[in-house]
Structures are given as structure tokens and as C-alpha cells.
Amino acid sequence: MTTLTNAPLAPLLARLFEEANAATSPAVAALSHEERARLLNSKTEYVDFYGRLKDLWLAISPETGTLLYMLARGSGARIIIEFGTSFGISTLYLAAALRDNGGGRLITTEFEPSKVMRAKANLTEGGLVDLVEIREGDALQTLSADLPDTVDLLLLDGAKAIYPEILSLVESRLRPGALVIADNADLSPEYLERVRSPASGYMSTPFGEDVELSVRLG
């Protein structure tokens, strides 16, 4: 794992996880548990809700990051789509796998401008920005056109309520054997019901504490 375990990426990731763990959000703290749950499940208010979370990193764990690298690296992925850039930690893991696979293209999307700027800076510092295209805006628009003909891996790590809609946008491009990884998938019961259905065209299983790992069968 040369790119992932060496400078500049390894020390960068260590620092970013420290920053992520220290981040706080008064806007989120002011929400009641009931209101937070309602917004998490809303297909119409997710832009407002996640806009309130702009100070939070919403980062994957280091273990999930390593899993992403291993899956992308082991599958020989060259074309990856990511829903939910945030500050770019998961993007760094996936781009590192592309680098070690010999190159490729990662399309990721984020609607919060301040996060886009920080993600670009982190990718530049990590030496991986040349592999990544960040599309700024609502993913229901940014991923609705100009997608590669074939996609090897899809990561879902944005607004949980619209996981099914994002999958629908990309699904026709997923090659047989393509991997779909959904973080915090338990927060999207509709998505889980879809990919676990025998008629869905996927083989799917929970992996770890909060990841759903699916394979496109054809």
C-alpha cells in the first residue's frame, strides 16, 4: 500500500482524523433528537440539514477508509463515483487506490462550497488531486449526466435518505462485478431493502458496524 502508507498521504490522513474528531457544530447541538431524526430521513430537506452540518467532517472511520482502499485496490478499480465528498477523507483513500492501480478517474460530489474548497486543498496536499473531479452541487443534478460509460465502484456516503435515488442515477453504468459501498446504510432502510432483494440484481451483506457491501451481478 505504497501511496496510503507513505508521505505525504499517511501523515495528512492522521492529521485530518484528529481535526475531524475535534470538530463541533452548535447548529447541530441545538436540534432535538426528534428533529434530527426527521431531517435525516427527509428526501426534501437534506440540503438544508447537511448545510447545517458544514462544520462537521462526517468522516468515515480509519478502518472504513482502509476497507475502501482494499476494495478499490483489490478489484482493480479505474472508474469510481463517490456521493458525499465532505472534507475529502474517503476521497483520499479511494484516490490512493486509483494511484496504486496505475491511474483512473474519481468523480465525487459535494453541495457545500466550503467543503469543496477544503477537499481540493486536502487532495492537493496528498498529491492526488489530478485523479479527482469534484462536482459542486446537489448530487441529484451533478450525477444525472456526463457519467462514464462504465463504473467499477460506487461509494454512498452523503444524505442517507436519497441513497436509492443516487443508486438509480448510476446503476446503468455499473459493470457486472462492480462494488457498491454504503456507509451508515442502516439509516436508509429503503436502500437496504432494495439491494438485499433477491430480484435486485445485487448480492449484498452488512460489513462491519455500519457498512453495506454490495456487488452488481449483471
Side-chain angles (χ1 to χ4, degrees):
M1 297 192 294
T2 55
T3 299
L4 189 60
T5 56
N6 290 316
L9 187 55
L12 171 62
L13 284 170
R15 191 186 81 233
L16 294 181
F17 277 118
E18 288 183 2
E19 292 183 31
N21 291 334
T24 60
S25 173
V28 175
L31 293 173
S32 68
H33 177 76
E34 293 75 14
E35 181 67 359
R36 191 180 309 181
R38 186 186 70 80
L39 291 170
L40 267 173
N41 290 302
S42 173
K43 291 181 181 289
T44 59
E45 297 179 79
Y46 59 89
V47 172
D48 172 65
F49 177 55
Y50 282 89
R52 301 187 198 188
L53 306 183
K54 64 181 181 179
D55 296 323
L56 294 181
W57 288 61
L58 307 175
I60 57 170
S61 67
E63 294 77 17
T64 299
T66 300
L67 173 66
L68 291 176
Y69 175 92
M70 292 171 63
L71 291 171
R73 185 84 168 90
S75 65
R78 291 299 184 98
I79 304 295
I80 296 173
I81 292 179
E82 176 186 39
F83 166 49
T85 316
S86 192
F87 289 95
I89 288 182
S90 54
T91 318
L92 288 166
Y93 279 99
L94 292 171
L98 288 180
R99 178 74 77 213
D100 292 342
N101 282 345
R105 182 185 181 195
L106 195 167
I107 297 171
T108 183
T109 182
E110 172 61 48
F111 65 76
E112 177 54 49
S114 62
K115 288 190 171 184
V116 171
M117 290 180 61
R118 183 61 189 275
K120 287 180 178 178
N122 291 335
L123 287 161
T124 299
E125 185 175 346
L128 297 166
V129 71
D130 59 301
L131 298 170
V132 180
E133 173 192 349
I134 302 180
R135 298 184 179 183
E136 184 177 330
D138 187 334
L140 292 179
Q141 279 74 55
T142 61
L143 296 180
S144 66
D146 299 321
L147 296 182
D149 291 336
T150 303
V151 174
D152 301 309
L153 187 150
L154 169 64
L155 172 63
L156 300 172
D157 194 22
K160 317 309 172 190
I162 60 169
Y163 277 7
E165 287 76 10
I166 299 300
L167 179 61
S168 293
L169 290 177
V170 182
E171 189 168 65
S172 65
R173 310 302 178 99
L174 295 172
R175 65 166 176 81
L179 299 173
V180 182
I181 303 110
D183 197 33
N184 306 122
D186 57 317
L187 297 176
S188 183
E190 181 186 347
Y191 172 81
L192 290 180
E193 181 179 1
R194 175 171 170 177
V195 295
R196 291 176 181 177
S197 168
S200 68
Y202 297 91
M203 181 175 289
S204 192
T205 187
F207 195 97
E209 293 184 0
D210 57 2
V211 173
E212 183 78 6
L213 176 59
S214 308
V215 176
R216 182 68 169 156
L217 298 178

